[in-house]
Amino acid sequence: MPGVEGFMYPNEVSLYWSVLIVLYPFITGLVAGAFILASLERVFRVEAVKPTYRLALLTALAFLIVAPLPLQLHLGHPERSFEMYLTPHRSSAMAMFGFVYLWYLMAVLVVEIWLDYRADIVRLSQSTTGWKRLLYRIMTLGSDNISQGALRIDERVGWLVTLIGIPSAFLLHGYVGFIFGSIKANPWWSSPLMPVVFIFSAMVSGIAAVMLLYMAATRLRRQPIDMRCVDTIAMYMFYIFIVDFSLEMLDLIHRIYEADESFRSLDFMVHTRLRFSQIVLQLIVGTLTPILLLALTQVTKLSAIVRKRIYVISASLALIGIFAMRWNVVIGGQLFSKSFLGYTTYKMALATREGLLVSIALTILPLLILAVLVKLLPPWTEQTHASIPAAAAAQAH
Amino acid sequence: MRIPKDARHLFRLAGLFAVGTLSFLVIRSFIVPRSFGQYGHYRGASIAEIAAHPVHFAGHQTCETCHADVAQTKSSGKHAQVNCEACHGPQAKHADDPSIDPGKPDTAVLCVRCHAASAARPKGFPQVDADAHSNGLPCQTCHQPHNPAIAAGGSK
């Protein structure tokens, strides 16, 4: 059989979980990471990252809206996924996750964004005209009370929501790792470290994405990049990256030392079929290089321009590396036979329902949604509140 | 209870959520089939629907009532435990109405399905490399399908 080497059981020859299932944890990871960056400012009061607070929330929302789409497309009958909400089975992690997702989207993200933007929404609903005015009016829920007292309450409730949001974000992404980690029949996945590794890599990717988006957006708006902000973000990214890397190494060393019956087969796979995506992309290009680059910015004094370049490069590499990590987990786990005697190949389709073009579209879609969100709810802090309606009104013409 | 004026918008939001949840529950009560959960975590009525599907397999006892000779031949060979319809496919229609011709299985496809040499089969299971073994001849030139041991009947 083409692409098959050694012995595969018949049901293992073709992969069921395609690139879309790789994309899914990548996207939810960005959501969780972006949210955690936002909560740094809110709960831990890291003032320096304030310029990215709102952008991070909107990024999380944009990606969260798209997150279920790869799964829907993967299902032959997407309409049936709704049954999961109607008649959930309590023993199914996937069914329960539907509620975690909904909780996170509605009770955490939307509420937090609404509370934070309420004052702006009310002002915009008064200064805009036409359909925009209607939209903002709906968003105010008919209340234009933005007195000091109301805003103070919003602030406190928002803080509480963020506090609840942090474990929710961990749950959201920890679950993805949990699903893989609890598949005991698959030695490549079955590991209690899986949820933890997923969470930390999610934080790295989310932080990297928001940093890149912030730098790109500031550039487009011809504004100066707040170096104190990106320096702080990069520092957090560096430390979390180190934790993430250590966890992954711990997992690796544990596997090597334990060397259970699957080890030879998996080891062979990593050195052959996954060599490029695991060793080159994930480890060298996507983890070690950005960590070293970021370390350089931490120990030496570099000019702002050099630091900026390093941040852009290492954040991009980190995103590549973490996508590769998802790829290696999802695709890698399906490349070897449970008999440990053979290997198959994954050939990505191009223009099918689960092909390359669809995944590219699904990666771009959240950015488009984000662009719309940013237009509707400008996240920029340099503009004082008074100037937001003016700017928005200027755009409306 | 009087809601503090500055927190009223929060109650509006909570109200919106309550309305959302309520309408979900109402819609749910309409969409979820009545018999769901009757016996377990599935639609109870599906049992009757599935039972109403036409039967495709007759079972070897049925075949043997008419084909006693074949059953006899088979019972003394290694294929004794292999079901008639494992080779002949589902034949309920034929068993109901023998004038429907069940056709004969193509041994070039059929026999290798179980006997082609493969690392996945238990070591003791009889398996051959079909091309080298049969030289392109149909298996039944030398093996009687119902009792395949060469010594037991050999070529017909």
Side-chain angles (χ1 to χ4, degrees):
Chain A
M1 242 170 278
V4 175
E5 190 184 314
F7 170 70
M8 293 299 279
Y9 293 119
N11 57 341
E12 295 171 335
V13 170
S14 61
L15 276 69
Y16 296 102
W17 286 6
S18 63
V19 62
L20 291 187
I21 309 295
V22 176
L23 204 60
Y24 169 69
F26 183 68
I27 290 180
T28 44
L30 294 178
V31 176
F35 184 82
I36 286 165
L37 179 62
S39 53
L40 267 181
E41 194 274 330
R42 192 78 189 241
V43 174
F44 303 108
R45 310 225 176 272
V46 181
E47 284 299 318
V49 302
K50 193 151 194 158
T52 57
Y53 171 67
R54 288 178 151 192
L55 183 66
L57 284 183
L58 296 185
T59 309
L61 182 62
F63 279 90
L64 194 64
I65 291 171
V66 176
L69 290 187
L71 299 187
Q72 302 282 6
L73 278 168
H74 173 72
L75 294 174
H77 273 284
E79 81 284 359
R80 285 189 192 162
S81 65
F82 188 57
E83 306 268 335
M84 194 170 79
Y85 287 113
L86 296 177
T87 54
H89 202 300
R90 264 171 292 124
S91 69
S92 156
M94 291 212 190
M96 286 304 108
F97 176 70
F99 292 94
V100 173
Y101 171 83
L102 211 61
W103 161 263
Y104 188 74
L105 176 69
M106 300 310 295
V108 175
L109 261 186
V110 169
V111 171
E112 183 167 344
I113 292 176
W114 186 69
L115 288 174
D116 195 67
Y117 271 102
R118 221 174 55 80
D120 302 29
I121 293 172
V122 169
R123 285 195 197 97
L124 285 165
S125 75
Q126 287 155 359
S127 61
T128 49
T129 50
W131 64 270
K132 273 196 166 178
R133 185 186 181 86
L134 189 68
L135 189 69
Y136 288 122
R137 283 215 72 85
I138 295 172
M139 284 202 271
T140 61
L141 298 183
S143 153
D144 45 15
N145 179 0
I146 46 173
S147 66
Q148 283 304 321
L151 292 183
R152 229 188 352 263
I153 292 178
D154 284 356
E155 170 67 24
R156 250 182 260 147
V157 175
W159 182 83
L160 192 73
V161 171
T162 318
L163 201 64
I164 300 169
I166 296 175
S168 305
F170 275 70
L171 201 62
L172 177 78
H173 204 62
Y175 144 85
V176 181
F178 178 86
I179 290 271
F180 286 106
S182 58
I183 298 183
K184 51 187 159 200
N186 189 320
W188 185 245
W189 291 337
S190 171
S191 154
L193 266 183
M194 203 60 117
V196 190
V197 171
F198 263 71
I199 288 172
F200 276 90
S201 52
M203 290 204 254
V204 175
S205 65
I207 294 177
V210 175
M211 182 160 83
L212 283 179
L213 283 171
Y214 168 70
M215 291 170 91
T218 320
R219 201 84 215 235
L220 285 178
R221 296 169 52 241
R222 296 179 209 291
Q223 296 282 334
I225 289 175
D226 180 343
M227 278 317 280
R228 194 166 76 99
C229 170
V230 280
D231 282 339
T232 316
I233 297 180
M235 183 186 74
Y236 280 107
M237 185 171 137
F238 174 62
Y239 290 133
I240 297 172
F241 218 154
I242 288 187
V243 177
D244 176 41
F245 180 62
S246 324
L247 284 171
E248 280 182 40
M249 286 302 111
L250 189 64
D251 187 44
L252 184 71
I253 294 168
H254 181 252
R255 279 167 191 274
I256 296 176
Y257 187 72
E258 193 181 46
D260 68 5
E261 70 275 13
S262 65
F263 181 70
R264 278 168 53 129
S265 173
L266 299 184
D267 189 48
F268 179 77
M269 180 175 78
V270 170
H271 286 96
T272 51
R273 312 229 151 176
L274 291 185
R275 178 200 284 275
F276 179 71
S277 60
Q278 177 110 16
I279 300 181
V280 178
L281 271 189
Q282 182 183 338
L283 190 66
I284 299 174
V285 175
T287 306
L288 291 177
T289 317
I291 285 186
L292 287 178
L293 283 175
L294 288 172
L296 206 64
T297 63
Q298 297 297 312
V299 295
T300 54
K301 278 214 165 1
L302 300 165
S303 66
I305 199 96
V306 176
R307 289 211 303 282
K308 263 189 263 179
R309 298 229 167 103
I310 289 188
Y311 294 156
V312 169
I313 294 172
S314 43
S316 314
L317 290 181
L319 284 176
I320 294 174
I322 282 159
F323 185 80
M325 181 256 178
R326 314 293 194 232
W327 174 279
N328 293 322
V329 169
V330 175
I331 303 295
Q334 304 174 81
L335 288 183
F336 65 95
S337 168
K338 305 303 174 283
S339 66
F340 306 131
L341 293 173
Y343 306 88
T344 185
T345 321
Y346 173 55
K347 193 165 176 300
M348 200 193 315
L350 181 68
T352 60
R353 183 164 50 87
E354 296 194 49
L356 178 67
L357 295 182
V358 168
S359 3
I360 292 175
L362 284 180
T363 319
I364 297 174
L365 184 62
L367 299 176
L368 297 182
I369 295 181
L370 181 64
V372 173
L373 285 176
V374 165
K375 273 253 141 51
L376 277 179
L377 302 169
W380 316 117
T381 43
E382 306 98 56
Q383 288 167 324
T384 56
H385 280 314
S387 71
I388 289 174
Q395 269 165 16
H397 291 301
Chain B
M1 189 191 84
R2 267 191 57 78
I3 299 165
K5 193 167 141 287
D6 283 344
R8 239 172 247 169
H9 60 282
L10 293 177
F11 283 84
R12 288 188 187 215
L13 184 70
L16 197 65
F17 272 97
V19 170
T21 314
L22 211 70
S23 40
F24 169 77
L25 290 176
V26 170
I27 293 173
R28 180 183 184 278
S29 70
F30 279 108
I31 306 185
V32 174
R34 286 275 154 268
S35 66
F36 187 89
Q38 193 179 349
Y39 308 112
H41 198 82
Y42 56 90
R43 198 164 50 85
S46 64
I47 293 188
E49 280 168 30
I50 292 166
H53 282 313
V55 173
H56 295 289
F57 287 89
H60 68 101
Q61 292 95 338
T62 317
C63 314
E64 284 159 10
T65 54
C66 296
H67 296 288
D69 54 332
V70 177
Q72 180 66 40
T73 324
K74 197 164 86 76
S75 65
S76 56
K78 282 278 171 111
H79 279 170
Q81 302 303 321
V82 183
N83 227 307
C84 310
E85 287 162 300
C87 293
H88 287 282
Q91 294 298 352
K93 280 195 187 127
H94 164 73
D96 283 345
D97 174 9
S99 66
I100 295 176
D101 182 11
K104 285 187 182 173
D106 177 4
T107 54
V109 182
L110 174 69
C111 309
V112 289
R113 196 185 292 155
C114 294
H115 288 293
S118 163
R121 303 196 199 281
K123 290 262 178 313
F125 187 83
Q127 36 195 309
V128 293
D129 175 1
D131 291 340
H133 176 79
S134 71
N135 247 328
L137 289 170
C139 308
Q140 77 268 33
T141 10
C142 302
H143 297 281
Q144 145 66 255
H146 297 136
N147 191 345
I150 298 288
S155 44
K156 310 184 265 184

